[in-house]
């Protein structure tokens, strides 16, 4: 296991979010109890219980590229209707993604859609949706014309709320609902990260020390910039 995964793999969830985010999104799609759901970038399965609560008879397929996280996700709940598989948002030849495993009534992606981009992901996932199906996701956004906020995302030109909506429309989707991951979702995430850093602090390894230092700095930066960076929530459907 890499030094990065030593820090982030065992924590309760691998990104900011709350069960209430999932409930909010599912309620706005009017999800049927026996829906088919794909959780793209499922990590260790942090959202499986909330998805199950929203659709008690659903078949849930989680996709994540990391085998260790897939194993953790598959063993998280004793539920035969949940499958965790190695896969990504947009797969190459022979790989798994929502299109190969679909169709789905809901594609949920907590913080992972940015890996391939909102526009490319939504265009690709159109072919993974059943009739009337929806996509719900959280994605990084920052304040407009804010270099320090953009630097929080690694220097990329992070979307604002407005440019995110433009990208959604350009991909051929209409917006059903807009929201925001609350500070509580970030605070809980970083509490898990920092607790894991504390537990690993005595391990004498240069690579691990770099990851721990980066994780601590990221948590501090978010605390300072919390009013200028965050995760937007969107529920969207193809037009």
């Amino acid at each position: 296991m890499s030094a990065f995964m030593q820090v982030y793999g065992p924590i309760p969830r691998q990104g900011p979010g709350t069960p209430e985010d999932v409930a909010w999104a599912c309620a706005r799609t009017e999800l049927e109890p026996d829906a088919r759901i794909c959780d793209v970038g499922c990590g260790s399965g942090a959202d499986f219980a909330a998805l199950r609560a929203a659709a008690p008879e659903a078949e849930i397929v989680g996709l994540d590229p990391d085998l260790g996280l897939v194993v953790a996700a598959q063993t998280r709940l004793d539920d035969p209707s949940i499958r965790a598989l190695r896969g990504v948002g947009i797969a190459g030849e022979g790989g798994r993604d929502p299109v190969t495993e679909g169709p789905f009534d809901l594609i949920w992606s907590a913080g992972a859609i940015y890996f391939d981009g909102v526009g490319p992901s939504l265009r690709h996932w159109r072919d993974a949706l059943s009739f009337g199906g929806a996509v719900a996701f959280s994605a990084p956004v920052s304040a407009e014309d804010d270099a320090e906020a953009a630097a929080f995302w690694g220097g990329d030109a992070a979307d604002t709320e407005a440019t995110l909506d433009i990208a959604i429309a350009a991909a051929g989707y209409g917006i059903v609902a807009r929201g925001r991951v609350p500070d509580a979702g970030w605070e809980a995430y970083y509490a898990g990260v920092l607790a894991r850093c504390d537990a690993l602090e005595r391990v004498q390894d240069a690579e691990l020390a770099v990851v721990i230092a980066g994780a601590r700095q990221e948590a501090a930066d978010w605390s300072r910039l919390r009013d200028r960076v965050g995760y937007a929530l969107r529920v969207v459907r193809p037009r």
Side-chain angles (χ1 to χ4, degrees):
M1 184 184 292
S2 69
F4 182 88
M5 290 307 298
Q6 286 288 353
V7 173
Y8 290 93
I11 62 179
R13 60 180 303 129
Q14 284 69 48
T18 70
E20 290 75 20
D21 301 335
V22 179
W24 174 88
C26 291
R28 279 145 186 82
T29 65
E30 300 179 351
L31 203 62
E32 296 291 337
D34 61 349
R36 292 196 80 235
I37 301 171
C38 185
D39 184 348
V40 178
C42 66
S44 61
D47 289 329
F48 284 173
L51 291 168
R52 167 60 70 235
E57 302 167 28
E59 179 186 354
I60 300 169
V61 177
L63 297 174
D64 198 277
D66 184 83
L67 178 59
L69 293 178
V70 168
V71 170
Q74 186 64 78
T75 57
R76 191 174 188 119
L77 298 177
D78 183 13
D79 189 329
S81 295
I82 296 177
R83 292 183 296 135
L85 307 170
R86 290 185 79 176
V88 293
I90 301 176
E93 185 176 351
R96 287 187 168 117
D97 70 14
V99 174
T100 66
E101 304 305 309
F104 295 103
D105 303 302
L106 173 66
I107 295 175
W108 164 253
S109 183
I113 195 171
Y114 81 93
F115 286 116
D116 295 307
V118 171
S121 296
L122 291 179
R123 285 187 284 271
H124 185 70
W125 294 349
R126 180 185 289 267
D127 291 335
L129 294 174
S130 60
F131 180 77
V135 178
F137 63 90
S138 60
V141 291
S142 63
E144 188 173 2
D145 297 327
D146 189 328
E148 191 175 24
F152 177 80
W153 302 116
D156 295 334
D159 274 315
T160 65
E161 295 273 359
T163 62
L164 176 62
D165 289 348
I166 291 170
I168 291 167
Y173 283 69
I175 297 174
V176 176
R178 296 176 176 85
R180 188 94 169 191
V181 172
D183 281 0
W186 289 83
E187 290 163 354
Y189 166 63
Y190 283 124
V193 170
L194 294 176
R196 182 63 178 166
C197 289
D198 290 344
L200 294 174
E201 198 68 64
R202 291 176 294 173
V203 178
Q204 296 184 3
D205 181 84
E207 182 184 359
L208 183 60
V210 170
V211 176
I212 289 172
R216 292 192 186 281
Q217 185 62 57
E218 181 185 317
D221 288 345
W222 176 81
S223 183
R224 181 170 50 84
L225 298 170
R226 66 169 66 199
D227 295 330
R228 296 152 58 191
V229 300
Y231 272 0
L233 284 166
R234 294 293 187 271
V235 179
V236 302
R237 278 197 174 97
R239 291 197 299 262

